[in-house]
């Protein structure tokens, strides 16, 4: 696994964003559809769905793991 340092960050945040270059600094933004390099659509909708899934799992004492693949 390769660790990439992001200036002024010690954790990775997950939040809505449709344009990676303008809105992210080492964070992860879920989207419903990719619309170009670093661009996506309906990030708030995807983020809300992700939150429901993750919080539901955590409320049930399940472990949550995010695997990032390229």
């Amino acid at each position: 696994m390769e660790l990439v340092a992001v200036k002024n960050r010690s954790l990775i945040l997950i939040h809505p964003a449709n344009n990676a270059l303008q809105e992210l600094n080492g964070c992860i933004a879920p989207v419903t559809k990719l619309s170009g390099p670093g661009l996506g659509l309906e990030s708030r909708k995807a983020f809300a769905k992700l939150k429901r899934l993750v919080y539901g799992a955590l409320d049930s004492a399940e472990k949550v793991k995010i695997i990032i693949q390229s």
Side-chain angles (χ1 to χ4, degrees), residues 13-36 38-48 50:
L13 301 175
I14 300 174
H15 60 82
N18 291 317
N19 185 316
L21 289 177
Q22 292 180 359
E23 302 174 82
L24 301 177
N25 183 22
C27 303
I28 297 171
V31 296
T32 59
K33 183 178 180 181
L34 295 175
S35 59
L39 301 172
L41 302 173
E42 299 181 343
S43 185
R44 290 186 191 281
K45 181 178 177 180
F47 182 68
L50 179 64

Side-chain angles (χ1 to χ4, degrees), residues 36-68:
L39 301 172
L41 302 173
E42 299 181 343
S43 185
R44 290 186 191 281
K45 181 178 177 180
F47 182 68
K49 182 177 180 179
L50 179 64
K51 276 184 18 180
R52 282 192 305 274
L53 292 170
V54 170
Y55 289 170
L58 293 175
D59 288 344
S60 300
E62 296 178 49
K63 290 184 180 182
V64 175
K65 183 187 291 188
I66 296 175
I67 300 171
I68 300 170

